[in-house]
């Protein structure tokens, strides 16, 4: 049975927020966070949704932010990426709530403030079902979805699975715009992913994101998100974190949504930073395969042609997270499209 439970208030479980780490702190002094990211400060109150799934009692952390200013009666659900959390949507939450939207930002099972089960059959269908249960419990019957990176794959799956419950779909540098295994990218086993995830470091995360996400650029404010990921992987729940991360990577690689973009029934916006080069397992791909994957300047245009009601907005020179690199420019484009395809009256 699904339910939202509380420690302090009916319907809510509040997670205490401890002081955030200074951006200036050296990466050699990475903090340690608990298995559900205890100790890391979120921009808004974190609540937890308790439900049963695959024979386990699980908790999904989420933020539920009321609309500010002129309320338009609509809701936006934010779906985070693999190396991100609900907290990384902070500027988007502010922009959307100030524009009159109620904003729900969940952490999916296996991530961040949510449960890390010892065994779980991960699929995008399962994560979509989990999220749909949360929205039902919150009384949200229809919403706009905004998915980033892996969250773009999940948002696409959700829109395919529950088309009548989705008003609009916006995808920010989603991965899965190509099928890597079909293009010849080698497979990593779950055990190989697990070994790799046990050895992640803040420096390694920083170097990967700088080269792959941001075309060699970096901003000091990104350090907070590196420490968030590294601190979770380094903390007391590190083996559970690494194991769930390995299972999730396997899901991402083996469950493409690419072939079903043509089946989307809702207005869909692709927001693409063209300097992004993200592609799962690119580091172990043969040179000839590596050379042809992860080109978002090409992929955005290709996938826009596959989606029936699509709009493509490109951000030349920006990387994997344009909402974090140039938030003002990004949110102006997003809000203009949201109102154009579903005008606020």
């Amino acid at each position: 049975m699904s339910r939202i439970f509380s420690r302090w208030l009916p319907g809510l479980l509040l997670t205490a927020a401890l002081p955030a780490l200074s951006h200036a702190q050296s990466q050699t002094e990475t903090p340690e966070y608990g298995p559900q990211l205890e100790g890391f400060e979120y921009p808004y109150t974190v609540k937890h949704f308790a439900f049963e799934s695959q024979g386990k009692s699980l908790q999904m952390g989420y933020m539920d932010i009321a609309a500010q200013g002129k309320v338009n009666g609509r809701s936006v659900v934010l779906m985070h990426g693999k190396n991100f959390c609900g907290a990384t949507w902070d500027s988007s939450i502010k922009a959307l709530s100030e524009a009159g939207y109620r904003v729900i930002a969940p952490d999916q099972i296996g991530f961040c403030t949510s449960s890390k089960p010892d065994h779980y059959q991960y699929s995008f269908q399962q994560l979509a079902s989990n999220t749909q249960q949360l929205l039902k419990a919150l009384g949200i019957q229809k919403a706009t979805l905004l998915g980033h990176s892996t969250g773009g794959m999940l948002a696409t799956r959700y829109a395919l699975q529950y088309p009548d419950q989705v008003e609009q779909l916006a995808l920010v540098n989603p991965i899965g715009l190509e099928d890597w295994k079909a293009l010849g990218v080698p497979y990593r086993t779950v055990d190989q992913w697990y070994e790799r995830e046990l050895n992640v470091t803040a420096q390694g995360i920083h170097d990967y994101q700088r080269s792959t996400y941001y075309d060699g650029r970096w901003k000091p404010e990104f350090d907070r998100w590196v420490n968030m990921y590294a601190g979770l992987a380094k903390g007391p729940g590190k083996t559970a974190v690494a194991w769930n991360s390995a299972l999730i990577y396997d899901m991402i690689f083996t469950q493409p949504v690419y072939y079903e973009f043509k089946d989307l029934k809702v207005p869909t916006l692709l927001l693409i930073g063209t300097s992004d080069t993200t592609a799962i397992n690119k580091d172990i791909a043969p040179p000839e395969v590596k050379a042809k994957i992860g080109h978002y300047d090409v992929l955005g245009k290709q996938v826009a042609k596959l989606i029936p009601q699509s709009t493509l907005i490109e951000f030349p020179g920006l990387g994997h997270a344009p909402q974090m690199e140039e938030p003002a420019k990004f949110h102006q484009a997003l809000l203009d499209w949201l109102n154009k395809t579903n005008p606020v009256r």
Side-chain angles (χ1 to χ4, degrees), residues 24 45 79 83 105 124 169 176 180 182 199 214 258 268 277 292 302 313:
T45 299
M79 296 182 172
N83 299 332
F124 286 112
L169 174 65
W180 307 291
N199 293 292
Y214 304 115
Y258 173 77
T268 301
T277 59
K292 66 183 182 182
Q302 289 179 344
I313 297 178

Side-chain angles (χ1 to χ4, degrees), residues 205-235:
I205 295 165
H206 172 277
D207 293 347
Y208 167 76
Q209 294 190 0
R210 181 173 183 172
S211 64
T212 303
Y213 289 178
Y214 304 115
D215 198 26
R217 302 180 303 276
W218 195 256
K219 291 186 176 182
E221 53 264 37
F222 298 164
D223 290 341
R224 169 170 161 78
W225 311 123
V226 169
N227 284 328
M228 173 190 70
Y229 178 11
L232 183 64
K234 180 183 176 183

Side-chain angles (χ1 to χ4, degrees), residues 142-331:
K142 202 163 190 176
T144 290
L145 306 182
L146 177 60
H148 171 233
S149 191
T150 297
M153 293 183 77
L154 174 57
T156 299
R157 176 58 58 202
Y158 192 107
L160 290 164
Q161 197 161 319
Y162 305 108
D164 295 337
Q165 298 176 29
V166 179
E167 290 184 323
Q168 298 153 295
L169 174 65
L171 307 175
V172 188
N173 282 73
I175 60 173
L177 297 182
E178 54 192 341
D179 181 354
W180 307 291
K181 57 185 175 61
L183 293 171
V185 178
Y187 175 73
R188 268 191 176 105
T189 67
V190 170
D191 291 325
Q192 289 171 329
W193 275 117
Y194 177 59
E195 187 64 29
R196 183 177 182 270
E197 291 299 284
L198 283 174
N199 293 292
V200 298
T201 64
Q203 189 62 54
I205 295 165
H206 172 277
D207 293 347
Y208 167 76
Q209 294 190 0
R210 181 173 183 172
S211 64
T212 303
Y213 289 178
Y214 304 115
D215 198 26
R217 302 180 303 276
W218 195 256
K219 291 186 176 182
E221 53 264 37
F222 298 164
D223 290 341
R224 169 170 161 78
W225 311 123
V226 169
N227 284 328
M228 173 190 70
Y229 178 11
L232 183 64
K234 180 183 176 183
K238 61 185 179 182
T239 55
V241 169
W243 180 247
N244 278 267
S245 182
L247 296 176
I248 290 163
Y249 270 122
D250 190 74
M251 170 186 72
I252 294 168
F253 189 78
T254 61
Q255 299 178 28
V257 296
Y258 173 77
Y259 305 102
E260 295 168 86
F261 283 124
K262 62 180 175 53
D263 300 321
L264 286 168
K265 307 294 186 187
V266 299
T268 301
L269 174 64
L270 288 163
L271 295 146
I272 304 294
T274 61
S275 292
D276 189 8
T277 59
T278 305
I280 300 297
N281 285 350
K282 182 173 68 173
D283 58 315
I284 58 173
E288 65 276 13
V289 174
K290 184 176 181 179
K292 66 183 182 182
I293 60 175
H295 297 290
Y296 275 75
D297 55 338
V298 175
L299 292 171
K301 296 180 180 68
Q302 289 179 344
V303 172
K305 294 177 181 178
L306 300 177
I307 299 173
Q309 301 178 62
S310 70
T311 300
L312 172 65
I313 297 178
E314 293 183 313
F315 299 96
L318 295 188
H320 190 60
Q323 78 278 21
M324 296 161 66
E325 282 194 278
E326 295 288 348
K329 182 188 298 185
F330 173 88
H331 293 118

Side-chain angles (χ1 to χ4, degrees), residues 128-144:
S129 175
N130 296 348
T131 306
Q132 196 265 353
Q133 286 188 63
L134 168 65
L135 298 183
K136 184 178 180 181
L138 294 175
I140 298 173
Q141 298 179 347
K142 202 163 190 176
T144 290

Side-chain angles (χ1 to χ4, degrees), residues 1 5 10 41 53 58 75 86 88 90 117 119 122 125-126 134 139 157 182 211 216 226 241 250 260 268 270 306 311:
M1 179 180 295
F5 66 99
E41 184 178 19
S53 178
L58 303 176
S75 299
T88 53
D90 56 352
H119 295 286
Y122 278 100
Q125 286 89 339
Q126 178 69 70
L134 168 65
R157 176 58 58 202
S211 64
V226 169
V241 169
D250 190 74
E260 295 168 86
T268 301
L270 288 163
L306 300 177
T311 300

Side-chain angles (χ1 to χ4, degrees), residues 4-46:
I4 298 179
F5 66 99
S6 68
R7 176 179 296 174
W8 307 113
L9 296 173
L12 310 181
L13 173 67
L14 307 187
T15 300
L18 300 183
L21 183 74
S22 166
H23 292 170
Q25 186 165 2
S26 167
Q27 291 198 35
T28 61
E29 300 173 354
T30 306
E32 294 185 11
Y33 298 125
Q36 289 184 222
L37 206 51
E38 294 91 344
F40 183 85
E41 184 178 19
Y42 266 49
Y44 302 90
T45 299
V46 176

